[in-house]
């Protein structure tokens, strides 16, 4: 198995969080492009979709509360606000992602597997086809101790990924 790690959406979100923290406006077209990215769209259902992403991020950009949000939209709003409270949070959570080595997860066979970190809502992870999607907001890292291991569901990030990759057929 060969593993490819995709952090494009996270890099986009880091830009958005930094921009919004600095009170810069972000064009709706940029938010729509993010919302339509296939790796973002993989999580969509009847309660959370591309319009939800645009609506939530636009509300944050305009310093507005959301009107009648779904549970998932509300969680997405809260998670994004959390990332903007202190730049140490996203950076400490991103550190273990940036240091992942795809070869650490590789095994026998020619199967190619994608590992995507995305800003999600209520789920920790899900699998679609040959792609493992992990909700970035579920990473728990110590912003004050770089040597403390980051975890997802009380497992070190590497171990969590190994277990979930084993679920891909």
């Amino acid at each position: 198995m060969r593993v490819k790690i995709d952090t494009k959406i996270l890099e986009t979100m880091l830009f958005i969080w930094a921009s919004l923290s600095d009170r810069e406006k972000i064009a709706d077209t940029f938010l729509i492009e993010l919302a339509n990215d296939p790796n973002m769209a993989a999580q969509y259902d009847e309660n959370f979709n591309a319009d939800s992403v645009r609506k939530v991020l636009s509300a944050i950009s305009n310093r507005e509360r959301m009107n009648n949000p779904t549970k998932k939209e509300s969680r997405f709003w809260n998670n994004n606000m959390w990332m903007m409270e202190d730049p140490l949070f996203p950076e400490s959570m991103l550190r273990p992602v940036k240091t992942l080595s795809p070869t650490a997860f590789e095994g026998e066979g020619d199967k190619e597997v994608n590992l995507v970190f995305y800003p999600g809502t209520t789920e920790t992870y899900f699998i679609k086809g040959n792609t493992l999607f992990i909700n970035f907001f579920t990473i728990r890292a110590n912003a004050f101790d770089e040597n403390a291991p980051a975890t997802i569901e009380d497992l070190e990030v590497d171990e969590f990924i190994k277990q979930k990759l084993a679920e891909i057929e």
Side-chain angles (χ1 to χ4, degrees):
M1 171 185 337
R2 291 185 320 276
V3 177
K4 179 182 169 217
I5 301 172
D6 186 339
T7 59
K8 179 183 161 217
I9 295 224
L10 285 187
E11 299 297 334
T12 302
M13 291 307 298
L14 283 175
F15 169 77
I16 289 172
W17 295 324
S19 297
L20 294 177
S21 292
D22 292 340
R23 300 191 181 277
E24 295 176 21
K25 284 292 279 171
I26 297 176
D28 265 1
T29 54
F30 184 80
L31 299 179
I32 291 167
E33 187 176 313
L34 166 72
N36 289 326
D37 185 290
N39 286 337
M40 192 71 181
Q43 68 179 312
Y44 296 162
D45 61 20
E46 64 277 354
N47 297 309
F48 189 76
N49 55 39
D51 191 51
S52 299
V53 170
R54 186 207 50 78
K55 185 169 58 173
V56 168
L57 294 176
S58 184
I60 293 171
S61 176
N62 294 325
R63 308 288 188 249
E64 300 170 343
R65 281 282 209 196
M66 301 228 1
N67 292 327
N68 304 317
T70 66
K71 179 181 176 184
K72 287 186 172 188
E73 289 171 342
S74 182
R75 178 73 61 90
F76 191 66
W77 189 89
N78 286 333
N79 286 340
N80 280 282
M81 293 299 289
W82 175 47
M83 291 296 107
M84 293 170 30
E85 283 179 15
D86 186 338
L88 287 178
F89 289 134
E91 286 300 325
S92 66
M93 293 165 64
L94 192 59
R95 191 176 311 113
V97 173
K98 284 185 173 180
T99 59
L100 288 174
S101 170
T103 57
F105 307 112
E106 293 182 353
E108 295 179 21
D110 290 339
K111 179 186 273 186
E112 188 167 303
V113 178
N114 299 310
L115 172 58
V116 175
F117 288 89
Y118 70 99
T121 58
T122 56
E123 64 290 321
T124 301
Y125 79 99
F126 63 92
I127 295 169
K128 281 196 175 177
N130 68 333
T131 303
L132 169 60
F133 292 88
I134 297 178
N135 184 348
F136 177 72
F137 296 131
T138 63
I139 297 173
R140 298 293 169 245
N142 186 331
F144 307 105
D145 181 1
E146 289 185 22
N147 297 320
T151 61
I152 301 174
E153 293 185 342
D154 298 324
L155 292 172
E156 287 191 29
V157 172
D158 286 9
E159 185 57 33
F160 180 86
I161 292 169
K162 285 177 186 173
Q163 286 186 15
K164 301 314 171 194
L165 285 172
E167 294 178 20
I168 297 177
E169 297 178 12

